[in-house]
Amino acid sequence: MSDPGGGVAPPVAAALSTAGFAALAIAGLGVTSVLLDVEVIAVPGLGNVPGAAAMVCSIGGVGAVLATVLRRPRPSYAAAGTTAVVALLAYLVGLVLGAIVTGVDPARAGSAAGTFALSWFALVLVGAALVAGWGAVALVRTGADRPRWPWEHTDPGDE
């Protein structure tokens, strides 16, 4: 646990923000797909594995960046940008690797990655990573303590 007024412990903040990124990214990609009436991965015939592999890689990349950055004594909010870049690059690498592992032609795998990188979906993924990265740093840097009821006292002599 963290000491009172010292913010959230870095491993806890990294875990919470990584889970938040996963939720925001998956929901955001789904909503964007419905609104635009376009598949997230527009290359036909790839199957489900490349998309799942891409998301797993992206989530892992975000978690790794946050676990590393939040260890610093006073992490910078600029880490949100790094988190966003890594999230997108990890997604693209995961997409290509997932497609190649399932037997898809490498040219089609590259085409899928390029199409994703130039779509609204990439902006949604980057936005989710920016929010997660900023939130993680804010959790660690905040000086706030947990909310307390009026009858809860921080000092035994405050009664």
Side-chain angles (χ1 to χ4, degrees):
M1 285 203 94
S2 64
D3 49 292
V8 176
V12 174
L16 289 172
S17 295
T18 302
F21 165 73
L24 279 174
I26 292 168
L29 293 176
V31 168
T32 304
S33 176
V34 169
L35 289 176
L36 298 177
D37 195 25
V38 177
E39 294 292 324
V40 175
I41 300 173
V43 176
L46 289 185
N48 295 329
V49 173
M55 188 53 68
V56 166
C57 286
S58 187
I59 293 167
V62 166
V65 168
L66 292 178
T68 303
V69 169
L70 296 179
R71 280 192 250 164
R72 296 182 185 141
R74 194 145 165 85
S76 169
Y77 286 103
T82 305
T83 304
V85 169
V86 168
L88 181 60
L89 292 177
Y91 189 94
L92 297 175
V93 168
L95 180 58
V96 170
L97 291 178
I100 290 173
V101 165
T102 58
V104 173
D105 179 36
R108 287 183 63 215
S111 172
T115 303
F116 181 87
L118 298 175
S119 70
W120 289 105
F121 298 111
L123 290 177
V124 169
L125 189 76
V126 166
L130 283 170
V131 168
W134 185 89
V137 173
L139 283 172
V140 171
R141 287 181 60 152
T142 185
D145 197 8
R146 69 176 180 85
R148 296 184 187 275
W149 290 102
W151 59 84
E152 293 182 300
H153 298 287
T154 56
D155 252 349
D158 283 347
E159 300 178 89

